[in-house]
Amino acid sequence: MTKYIEEEPSDAGLMGAIADVGGVTPEALRLLLTLMAGYPIAAVYTKYIAEVPFKTLHHTFFFSCGAGLCYFNYGADTYHSLLGILVTYLLVLFLRHNIKLMIGLNFVFHMTYLLLGYFFTSSNEYDILWTMPHCILVLRLIGFGFDVSDGLKAQEALSNEQKETALPQVPSLLELLAFAYFPSGFLIGPQFPLRRYQNFINGDYRQHEGNVEAGMRRLATGIFYLIVCQVGLSFLPDSYFLTPEFAQVGFIKRIYLLGFWAKFSLYKYISCWLLTEGALIYIGFTYKGKDEHGQPDWSGCSNVKLILLETGNTMEHYVQSFNVNTNQWVGQYIYKRLKFLNNRTISYGAALGFLAIWHGYHSGYYMAFVMEYIVVTTEKQITNFYDKVVLPRYGHFLNNSDVYKVLYFVALKSYNIVYMGWCLAAFVFLKYERWIVVFGAVNYYGFIYLLLWAAFYQSYRHFTRKSSKSNEDVTGAKSKTQ
């Protein structure tokens, strides 16, 4: 398997030497060390600071640790995040009583700054640069602006969700800095509102037990997924799918290889989220309430629903289980804020468009989100057709056939694997010149089968409506003759 892109030389020094031994880039090694640093930070805070009544000490500790880790990763580029936090604080401080102006300026400033950052730094790869934590910060500060504006509204004008995040008082700059740089949340997420941070500092979650054990279990799970990811991608590296060798493999094998590669690629993100979530659980930050057994539920900042991810059969299951906090943020601050449009389709399209723009300029992001919309819509059409047309006619036979049940399970799992490969390819390969090579290597099967279904479904609807109209005309004619 030939390399598509020649690897750049590693940084000099100790970090570069360790990275070379591990077969990763220095940037990736720093990222992993930063995620793991959340655990000793959590241990120090729990033992020495958690019970101290002076909140300033808490804010100073988290700001210092988070900003220090940011500098460890990005050096002088840390100023980008500091500038963003300062601008938002000044906008909130001086313009919060002009809600529309404050929210508008806050939104435009952060999205413009982020997109300019992408423009000047992006390459063909997923870059581990200052823009990576900055895209997390952008959502956090935009959401913070909305929460401040909600705090100025009457309680009856807010939804239950907004009541939980609204900020009736403007925090100090130090508190905002601590919230933005929270050590196990600033680098890759997850998203959480300032109210959660305040509840944590106030000790609202400290009375509940089991967080340390739950955090360590999440850590172990994250390490397991990281190992599986590294082993899997060592056999199926991204570069392989851009080679003539891949295009010459049998078609069925090709689409399954692409599907398994997509699974391993997802594990790269999932492992990082699990590692950072484990640190948040360990420190007691993620309390969600009591579960069905009356035990503390520490999944309040979970960014992945592992059981649904691994047992789901549709693209919608992936959407519901992957990058959960970001999707919830978009739902709360974009989709639901467009309620005045009175059109769910437009709101959903706008939310997906925002997500694509937030990721960057690469065409692969836009293709991936367009495919998500089309595939999820198609799945709903197929489910509707199956429930309303197939089952009423053949349900008795199908539901009592063990052979059919096995075939149904195999078909769904196969679809789950091969279409995930198709949908994720553009997201990973980013540039049109690259992802179109992968699409071509698998004969554009994703487009073809979606078009075939669309042609069948629209034809079926057309003839069904035509037949229904003919029956109504016949019935009407009989009524007149009588």
Side-chain angles (χ1 to χ4, degrees), residues 88 151 239 449:
T88 289
S239 56
Y449 291 123

Side-chain angles (χ1 to χ4, degrees), residues 246-247 251 254-255 258 422 437-446 448:
F246 173 66
F251 175 70
R254 251 179 290 155
I255 61 176
L258 188 65
W422 172 265
V437 171
V438 181
F439 278 16
V442 291
N443 302 340
Y444 305 98
Y445 75 87
I448 292 172

Side-chain angles (χ1 to χ4, degrees), residues 24 57 64 92 112 199 201 233 236 241 250 276 290 305 322 366 375 377 387 462 476:
V24 298
L57 178 61
S64 301
V92 168
T112 302
N199 293 339
I201 295 298
L233 292 180
L236 294 172
F241 297 92
T276 197
K290 298 287 186 179
K305 297 178 180 178
F322 186 80
Y366 298 86
V375 172
T377 301
D387 290 341
H462 171 74

Side-chain angles (χ1 to χ4, degrees), residues 335-350:
Y335 177 79
K336 292 180 182 178
R337 304 275 173 169
L338 296 175
K339 189 177 180 179
F340 65 91
L341 295 175
N342 199 30
N343 188 306
R344 291 186 177 183
T345 302
I346 294 177
S347 298
Y348 183 55

Side-chain angles (χ1 to χ4, degrees), residues 145-436:
F146 277 113
D147 293 339
V148 170
S149 70
D150 289 340
L152 297 172
K153 299 175 183 177
Q155 284 290 301
E156 55 269 19
L158 302 176
S159 66
N160 292 332
E161 196 173 50
Q162 291 169 345
K163 290 176 182 178
E164 293 179 359
T165 59
L167 297 168
Q169 295 181 337
V170 177
S172 67
L173 178 59
L174 178 61
E175 184 176 3
L176 183 61
L177 286 165
F179 162 67
Y181 280 117
F182 198 79
S184 294
F186 83 92
L187 192 59
I188 59 169
Q191 292 297 333
F192 49 82
L194 181 60
R195 280 282 292 274
R196 173 171 285 278
Y197 173 77
Q198 291 176 336
N199 293 339
F200 168 72
I201 295 298
N202 292 336
D204 294 353
Y205 309 145
R206 211 169 296 143
Q207 58 184 303
H208 307 288
E209 299 178 347
N211 55 297
V212 174
E213 295 81 2
M216 297 309 293
R217 286 196 298 270
R218 213 61 170 170
L219 169 63
T221 307
I223 292 173
F224 170 76
Y225 271 85
L226 183 61
I227 293 172
V228 173
C229 165
Q230 291 299 107
V231 173
L233 292 180
S234 69
F235 287 100
L236 294 172
D238 297 354
S239 56
Y240 171 58
F241 297 92
L242 299 165
T243 64
E245 290 93 330
F246 173 66
Q248 293 169 4
V249 174
F251 175 70
I252 299 299
K253 185 177 181 180
R254 251 179 290 155
I255 61 176
Y256 272 93
L257 285 176
L258 188 65
F260 287 121
W261 161 82
K263 200 79 168 176
F264 296 137
S265 296
L266 281 183
Y267 288 171
K268 177 168 55 179
Y269 301 97
I270 290 169
S271 60
C272 291
W273 289 335
L274 291 172
L275 293 176
T276 197
E277 183 192 348
L280 287 170
I281 295 173
Y282 187 104
I283 204 172
F285 189 86
T286 63
Y287 181 74
K288 190 178 180 180
K290 298 287 186 179
D291 62 19
E292 63 272 18
H293 304 294
Q295 299 299 314
D297 182 355
W298 294 103
S299 64
C301 292
S302 181
N303 216 13
V304 58
K305 297 178 180 178
L306 285 178
I307 295 178
L308 179 60
L309 181 82
E310 299 296 358
T311 61
N313 296 317
T314 66
M315 182 59 59
E316 190 168 18
H317 289 151
Y318 277 115
V319 173
Q320 293 169 352
S321 62
F322 186 80
N323 209 359
V324 175
N325 281 96
T326 301
N327 292 334
Q328 288 176 344
W329 187 97
V330 172
Q332 181 175 352
Y333 294 106
I334 303 297
Y335 177 79
K336 292 180 182 178
R337 304 275 173 169
L338 296 175
K339 189 177 180 179
F340 65 91
L341 295 175
N342 199 30
N343 188 306
R344 291 186 177 183
T345 302
I346 294 177
S347 298
Y348 183 55
L352 286 178
F354 171 82
L355 270 177
I357 294 170
W358 175 70
H359 276 89
Y361 294 107
H362 292 302
S363 61
Y365 292 135
Y366 298 86
M367 175 55 69
F369 286 109
V370 167
M371 289 307 305
E372 176 190 320
Y373 179 81
I374 294 174
V375 172
V376 170
T377 301
T378 300
E379 288 175 351
K380 292 178 179 178
Q381 292 173 354
I382 293 174
T383 300
N384 183 63
F385 181 82
Y386 182 78
D387 290 341
K388 293 186 177 180
V389 178
V390 176
L391 286 182
R393 297 180 182 180
Y394 311 106
H396 178 73
F397 167 74
L398 295 176
N399 291 332
N400 290 288
S401 171
D402 293 334
V403 174
Y404 172 74
K405 291 177 182 178
V406 172
L407 292 175
Y408 183 78
F409 175 81
V410 172
L412 279 180
K413 277 301 175 186
S414 297
Y415 161 78
N416 175 266
I417 293 170
V418 300
Y419 252 92
M420 191 62 229
W422 172 265
C423 291
L424 196 67
F427 189 90
V428 172
F429 289 102
L430 298 176
K431 292 280 190 179
Y432 171 80
E433 307 84 55
R434 303 180 72 203
W435 57 258
I436 199 65

